[in-house]
Amino acid sequence: MTTENAPLTVDVIRSLPKVVLHDHLDGGLRPATILELAADVGHQLPAGDAEALGAWFAESADSGSLVRYLETFDHTIAVMQTPAALARVAREAVLDLARDGVVYAEQRWAPEQHLQRGLTLQETVDAVQSGIEQGVAEAAAEGRTIRVGQLVTAMRHADRWQEIAELAVANRANGVVGFDIAGAEDGFPPSRHAEIWRYLADQNFPVTIHAGEAAGPESIAEAVHLGQASRIGHGVRIVEDITFDPEFPHSAEGESGTAALGLLAHWVRDHQVPLELCPSSNVQTGAATSVADHPITRLKELDFAVTLNTDNRLMSRTTMTQEMALLVEHAGWTIDDLADVTMTAAWSAFVHHDERRALVDDVILPGYQEVQGAQL
């Protein structure tokens, strides 16, 4: 589509309505909050002030290794072991997202990692939901509207998948909108506990699976076929099943002949399986070389169902505004591109169709039209 675009300054981008489907609750804490919570529980941190601590998280995550990236979570998880701490982190996450223009978000986290001080799994879910509701109410008092759902996650290396899946299903009326597996991807495939995917399907419960980040197309194949995933967490390595013409992506429309798709890539595109891509994070973990060369742009031009996400705002020192601004600056994205990925994300949210329609028609489209000054 062609529109008369407004200059895409950071302030303009910040004003746009945004949807984030891949944002980890334990990866988005405020450094100042970590310091206060750590002092309460006597947890030793690698830095003593908020600025230095924030820098430590970013530098440690910027190693090119997913394993080392995941080690940074030892500190955030350590301070999220009480109902008050969980509620505070969730409340602040909602407020930070809303202030960045996010109107719909799904916060993923693993309840099994928050039991060190005696909480039950159900108590952790209740605490996070309480914080989310507080955050939504405080955002409303600031004149901001946001809806947030929980994505309950099982850790791949543990053996609690069935228990966590049942916890997620039991809380579908208590703010939980979907199920995920996360953690060390390579060596811990969906087939590790194949039976839970049938259970979740029988319960008509939405699933997204981390795949195609630390492992290749075979991981994505298991996620969509065995795991019956409605979305793929990351999925950036689907490009390994695509052969690109040397001139691509100079062809902006992605015409026939610019890329040859393998059978899996065809499947993912044909079925419009949403990819929860996270440019800054993918560069940090070595799944992409730079934002400019990140496959998100090529995949979008080839009509894959691309969504844009933050992954871990603390570790990547990022926001949705920042992710959008980086793509505008380094990959030539336009406001039409930003509108497309936002609407794709809204249509891929784990809420019912009529709710997605209202989100698109009542919030996303008017927000972009106001900036563009033209009909999309």
Side-chain angles (χ1 to χ4, degrees), residues 72 251 331 351:
T72 60
S251 173
V351 294

PDB file of all heavy atoms in Angstrom, residues 72 251 331 351:
ATOM      1  N   THR A  72      21.629 -14.616  32.869  1.00  0.00           N
ATOM      2  CA  THR A  72      21.288 -13.337  33.501  1.00  0.00           C
ATOM      3  C   THR A  72      19.991 -13.439  34.299  1.00  0.00           C
ATOM      4  O   THR A  72      19.760 -12.644  35.219  1.00  0.00           O
ATOM      5  CB  THR A  72      21.150 -12.219  32.454  1.00  0.00           C
ATOM      6  OG1 THR A  72      20.118 -12.550  31.523  1.00  0.00           O
ATOM      7  CG2 THR A  72      22.461 -12.016  31.689  1.00  0.00           C
ATOM      8  N   SER A 251      14.509  -6.285  -4.145  1.00  0.00           N
ATOM      9  CA  SER A 251      13.160  -6.317  -4.686  1.00  0.00           C
ATOM     10  C   SER A 251      12.178  -6.159  -3.532  1.00  0.00           C
ATOM     11  O   SER A 251      11.949  -7.089  -2.769  1.00  0.00           O
ATOM     12  CB  SER A 251      12.906  -7.649  -5.405  1.00  0.00           C
ATOM     13  OG  SER A 251      11.567  -7.760  -5.788  1.00  0.00           O
ATOM     14  N   ALA A 331      16.875  -0.672   8.610  1.00  0.00           N
ATOM     15  CA  ALA A 331      16.326  -1.587   7.604  1.00  0.00           C
ATOM     16  C   ALA A 331      15.330  -0.908   6.681  1.00  0.00           C
ATOM     17  O   ALA A 331      14.682  -1.576   5.869  1.00  0.00           O
ATOM     18  CB  ALA A 331      15.682  -2.802   8.293  1.00  0.00           C
ATOM     19  N   VAL A 351      -6.649 -14.196  22.066  1.00  0.00           N
ATOM     20  CA  VAL A 351      -7.996 -13.828  22.501  1.00  0.00           C
ATOM     21  C   VAL A 351      -8.940 -14.212  21.371  1.00  0.00           C
ATOM     22  O   VAL A 351      -8.508 -14.581  20.279  1.00  0.00           O
ATOM     23  CB  VAL A 351      -8.116 -12.321  22.832  1.00  0.00           C
ATOM     24  CG1 VAL A 351      -7.269 -11.966  24.039  1.00  0.00           C
ATOM     25  CG2 VAL A 351      -7.725 -11.467  21.631  1.00  0.00           C
TER      26      VAL A 351
END
